Amino acid sequence: MKFIRWLLGRLILFFDWLFSPRGIERSPELQKEVDTQTAALMLYQYPACPFCVKVRRAMKRQSLHIETRDALRDLHARQELLEGGGELKVPCLRIRDAQEKDRWLYESADIVHYLEQRFAA
Ligand SMILES: N[C@@H](CCC(=O)N[C@@H](CS)C(=O)NCC(=O)O)C(=O)O
């Protein structure tokens, strides 16, 4: 069972790499503005989780440079997610506002929707 899960994970990563989406192009000024905004975001994820791949592909499509944390291997990130978000489930997007207050958004579909709404060209 563990081997099958491992194999499935590798296949997901392989096909993600093979059919990697192309990112949209923005003017340098606009991309800089978007980068400033995405600096306040953090994606907690597992590398081979299909729901996380879905979110990472949406990020790639929109050329969003959002820092990611591996909540599987990085114990500190795991703890941050559990304490901040309240659930050890990925993907989860941490959205930090101007007052340094965090909102923790779970569910891949909701995260993709949020990114599309906020950053769609
Ligand atoms: N419906 C959720 C499913 C997320 C999900 O099931 N994530 C798994 C990893 S693939 C998880 O975090 N499981 C809890 C754990 O591994 O501790 C979504 O679309 O984001």
Side-chain angles (χ1 to χ4, degrees):
M1 192 62 195
K2 212 174 165 190
F3 173 72
I4 292 176
R5 220 178 309 139
W6 176 85
L7 188 65
L8 273 176
R10 296 308 103 182
L11 279 173
I12 287 168
L13 288 178
F14 175 68
F15 282 106
D16 178 38
W17 170 78
L18 195 62
F19 301 108
S20 182
R22 283 184 59 176
I24 58 164
E25 275 189 40
R26 298 184 177 89
S27 67
E29 298 76 26
L30 189 54
Q31 185 63 51
K32 203 169 163 199
E33 165 58 28
V34 168
D35 289 347
T36 304
Q37 291 191 38
T38 53
L41 304 177
M42 176 82 71
L43 183 73
Y44 290 78
Q45 49 112 42
Y46 295 168
C49 153
F51 306 101
C52 303
V53 169
K54 176 172 136 187
V55 172
R56 293 203 305 266
R57 289 176 72 82
M59 284 160 46
K60 219 172 213 178
R61 269 196 306 275
Q62 294 184 60
S63 303
L64 301 175
H65 306 133
I66 298 173
E67 197 179 328
T68 60
R69 293 237 165 115
D70 183 344
L72 190 63
R73 294 186 189 92
D74 179 345
L75 295 184
H76 183 68
R78 217 174 155 78
Q79 196 60 28
E80 269 179 2
L81 173 62
L82 189 58
E83 282 175 13
E87 248 188 297
L88 196 55
K89 193 171 94 173
V90 292
C92 180
L93 185 70
R94 190 191 73 195
I95 306 162
R96 184 158 283 174
D97 70 16
Q99 286 73 45
E100 303 269 304
K101 202 160 170 275
D102 292 336
R103 174 180 160 211
W104 299 77
L105 183 62
Y106 287 94
E107 287 301 319
S108 55
D110 293 344
I111 297 171
V112 170
H113 181 72
Y114 171 84
L115 295 176
E116 281 173 358
Q117 291 290 302
R118 183 165 171 190
F119 298 106

